[in-house]
Amino acid sequence: MINVFVLQNGRLNQVNIDSRADLENTTPVWVDLTDPNDDERDWVKSIYGVTLPGEDEVKDIEASARYYEAENGDLHLRTDFLLEEDEGPSRVVTVAFILARDMLFSVHPEDLPIFRLVRMRARSRPGSIADYKDVLLDLYATDAEYSADVLEGVYENLDKVSHSVLQEELTDEDAASALNAIAQEEDLNGRIRRNMMDTRRAVSFLMRGRLLNSEQFDEARQIMRDIESLDGHTAFLFDKINFLMDATVGFININQNKIIKIFSVASVAFLPPTLIASIYGMNFRIMPELDWTLGYPLAIVLMVASAVTPFWYFRRRGWLKK
């Protein structure tokens, strides 16, 4: 899919592209390609002289491959954008940007909510976009806002887990559910931190390259400040995640210790009856109790008393309390 946008009175307006002729008759400021096919790649190359990177090139993580200036002067950037879905884990999608011929070209394998939001805002806020670099900065700024919204969701989910973990009685089932939820939020928080780190590198590259005018430079610095504040928030959430993880594991250990304590008390309590039964099971010839009429009942009474006495003593000392 190829989406082409032109600037009209400070607004981004989308132009329908059904053929190569439609693209040739348009002077876009932003060409956004979602999983482009071979024909669309050929159109961009033949009309604008821009070669779109392949999937393997986009995924290259080396800095020299993510931010560089080509021999013809085109600027290439690779930036990660967070994609959170209602079903399934969150993902990071790498987007390739090319700044050439006073236009912004973006290539990504699937549509992203950040791109949809930028397109919607640009249509509703006249004057917010002046050129192709404003579009790129707006994407980075919206990425920071999107990550901040996701972080708020992480905090709300951790707050629910906190209420579950710190309840008066935490069962093993509750603990297992809490651990699963904590692991998911830790993974999402880590992806947000990685995403913001990559965005910082991209914005820093633009600032160092002196590619921005004074207003754009100020906007880039504001994006960097927003990212810095998000870094502090992710660090706080990591601390909260570690605390909840330790607390959950601690409660699991407490539950296990309760079970072990019961078995330990039972084994100690039954040691005296076992001793008595062993003595009277020896059947020695000279044992006075063998001739007693009440010898057998006495042995039973002694075994019961020797079992009850430790339980009574342990309960009195408070060792059987949960």
Side-chain angles (χ1 to χ4, degrees), residues 33-289:
L33 299 105
T34 303
D35 192 20
N37 55 38
D38 294 337
D39 290 339
E40 292 168 343
R41 289 176 176 273
D42 291 339
W43 294 352
V44 171
K45 183 176 181 179
S46 59
I47 296 175
Y48 305 111
V50 174
T51 302
L52 301 178
E55 184 176 354
D56 293 337
E57 297 176 274
V58 172
K59 292 183 178 180
D60 198 337
I61 63 174
E62 294 181 1
S64 59
R66 294 179 70 86
Y67 315 102
Y68 65 93
E69 182 176 358
E71 295 180 357
N72 59 0
D74 296 347
L75 289 178
H76 294 255
L77 297 89
R78 311 284 189 268
T79 308
D80 295 333
F81 285 84
L82 182 67
L83 176 59
E84 187 188 23
E85 298 177 317
D86 295 334
E87 298 180 359
S90 61
R91 293 182 288 114
V92 172
V93 178
T94 303
V95 179
F97 291 110
I98 303 174
L99 285 71
R101 320 293 188 272
D102 292 334
M103 291 178 286
L104 173 66
F105 298 86
S106 56
V107 184
H108 42 97
E110 53 190 307
D111 197 15
L112 298 169
I114 295 172
F115 284 66
R116 295 194 297 268
L117 184 58
V118 168
R119 295 194 295 261
M120 181 186 67
R121 285 181 175 179
R123 288 195 298 266
S124 60
R125 295 186 306 182
S128 60
I129 302 294
D131 60 16
Y132 66 102
K133 288 178 286 188
D134 282 337
V135 177
L136 181 59
L137 290 175
D138 202 11
L139 285 169
Y140 287 144
T142 306
D143 185 30
E145 294 176 13
Y146 181 79
S147 297
D149 292 339
V150 177
L151 279 177
E152 291 179 2
V154 172
Y155 184 84
E156 291 178 359
N157 293 335
L158 288 178
D159 194 45
K160 296 177 182 177
V161 175
S162 178
H163 286 297
S164 174
V165 171
L166 301 179
Q167 61 182 331
E168 184 175 353
E169 186 69 24
L170 182 69
T171 64
D172 290 342
E173 291 77 10
D174 293 336
S177 177
L179 285 175
N180 182 56
I182 292 172
Q184 291 181 358
E185 299 308 322
E186 192 278 338
D187 179 72
L188 179 55
N189 193 46
R191 292 183 187 278
I192 294 172
R193 192 177 185 90
R194 170 194 167 186
N195 182 43
M196 287 296 95
M197 179 183 69
D198 188 77
T199 302
R200 179 194 286 114
R201 292 169 62 192
V203 176
S204 177
F205 173 80
L206 294 174
M207 296 173 70
R208 292 195 311 269
R210 300 179 181 179
L211 305 171
L212 310 175
N213 58 38
S214 59
E215 292 183 0
Q216 292 169 342
F217 194 86
D218 290 339
E219 183 179 356
R221 286 196 297 183
Q222 181 60 47
I223 295 173
M224 297 291 278
R225 286 192 291 267
D226 291 341
I227 293 174
E228 191 70 27
S229 65
L230 290 180
D231 281 344
H233 201 61
T234 56
F236 164 75
L237 288 178
F238 274 127
D239 291 339
K240 186 176 181 66
I241 287 170
N242 290 332
F243 165 74
L244 291 175
M245 185 73 72
D246 293 341
T248 304
V249 173
F251 281 122
I252 292 175
N253 292 333
I254 290 174
N255 290 339
Q256 291 177 344
N257 290 337
K258 290 177 182 178
I259 298 173
I260 294 174
K261 182 173 66 174
I262 293 174
F263 282 108
S264 300
V265 170
S267 61
V268 171
F270 284 107
L271 279 177
T274 303
L275 176 62
I276 296 172
S278 300
I279 292 174
Y280 286 98
M282 294 179 186
N283 294 323
F284 288 127
R285 182 179 300 275
I286 302 176
M287 287 188 74
E289 295 85 358

Side-chain angles (χ1 to χ4, degrees), residues 17-25 42-43 46-47:
I17 301 297
D18 297 322
S19 64
R20 173 173 175 156
D22 294 334
L23 189 60
E24 289 177 334
N25 296 327
D42 291 339
W43 294 352
S46 59
I47 296 175

Side-chain angles (χ1 to χ4, degrees), residues 1-12:
M1 180 185 297
I2 181 169
N3 300 302
V4 175
F5 300 89
V6 298
L7 268 179
Q8 295 178 347
N9 300 323
R11 298 175 186 264
L12 274 182

Side-chain angles (χ1 to χ4, degrees), residues 276 280 289 292-305:
I276 296 172
Y280 286 98
E289 295 85 358
W292 290 2
T293 305
L294 299 178
Y296 178 73
L298 177 61
I300 297 297
V301 171
L302 286 175
M303 287 188 287
V304 173

